[in-house]
Amino acid sequence: MSGRSLAARERRTIATAIVVLAAGLIGSRVVVPVVREWNDREAQIDLVHDRLARLNGLALYQDSLVLAADQSMSVPLPRRILRGRTPALAASELQGMLQEYARLSRVSISRLDVASSSENEETTAATPFIPASISATTDIYGLADLLSRIETGELALDVSELSVAPNAALRGELLQIALVVRAPLLLEP
């Protein structure tokens, strides 16, 4: 082979390598980002169309949705009556529920007494109740949250006594509260 044909072959190889390299560079630097941006834009357009369809659906049924929401707000949520095989078991469940309400409300309980045995005179009535008394320390927000949880919680509870006093021993805006609640009891066989 002559030196000239070898040089021509090398030039074709170099030219082919340059074309392949240029195509790869253009593909990775231009085509791929353009395709990715195109797909992202199409996904955004689909999302906007989906949201628009949902809003149109809500606007179409707005009156019936408002009526259904009003009806669901006026129907009170079912509240559970305290149940147990014995008054002691029901009192234990009440104590656990009150401790959970206090924990969620950030109320520091210093004393929680739940009457459960034959000492509870109210269990002999037609509708027996289990009373519980709470002494605690909290701020006004904790008290409001605790009372809200007692009012709207899953157990039907009746607040029969409530006293609130500033706590002189502790500085700040802490309150000393005393609370007595009653839970209707259903003894199960």
Side-chain angles (χ1 to χ4, degrees), residues 38-157:
W38 181 275
N39 287 338
D40 290 345
R41 187 174 58 93
E42 289 297 316
Q44 288 279 344
I45 290 171
D46 289 342
L47 182 65
V48 168
H49 283 297
D50 183 49
R51 286 182 180 168
L52 185 60
R54 287 181 184 187
L55 285 173
N56 286 335
L58 288 174
L60 184 64
Y61 297 108
Q62 179 182 3
D63 295 335
S64 61
L65 290 172
V66 168
L67 182 63
D70 287 342
Q71 288 174 350
S72 70
M73 291 298 217
S74 64
V75 175
L77 296 173
R79 299 192 56 199
R80 192 168 61 90
I81 293 179
L82 190 61
R83 295 172 181 253
R85 300 187 103 191
T86 66
L89 290 174
S92 175
E93 183 181 348
L94 175 62
Q95 181 177 4
M97 184 64 64
L98 290 173
Q99 287 173 336
E100 181 67 12
Y101 287 168
R103 184 187 68 79
L104 292 172
S105 301
R106 296 188 174 142
V107 172
S108 177
I109 295 180
S110 56
R111 193 185 95 242
L112 173 58
D113 294 328
V114 180
S116 64
S117 61
S118 60
E119 68 195 42
N120 182 6
E121 301 156 3
E122 295 187 64
T123 57
T124 59
T127 304
F129 287 92
I130 293 187
S133 63
I134 302 170
S135 292
T137 305
T138 186
D139 60 1
I140 191 70
Y141 302 106
L143 175 61
D145 189 53
L146 178 65
L147 291 175
S148 173
R149 289 180 193 282
I150 288 173
E151 179 184 12
T152 62
E154 66 180 65
L155 280 179
L157 296 175

Side-chain angles (χ1 to χ4, degrees), residues 164-179:
V164 180
N167 192 336
L170 299 174
R171 294 189 177 160
E173 298 185 17
L174 292 178
L175 304 171
Q176 186 67 36
I177 63 169
L179 179 70

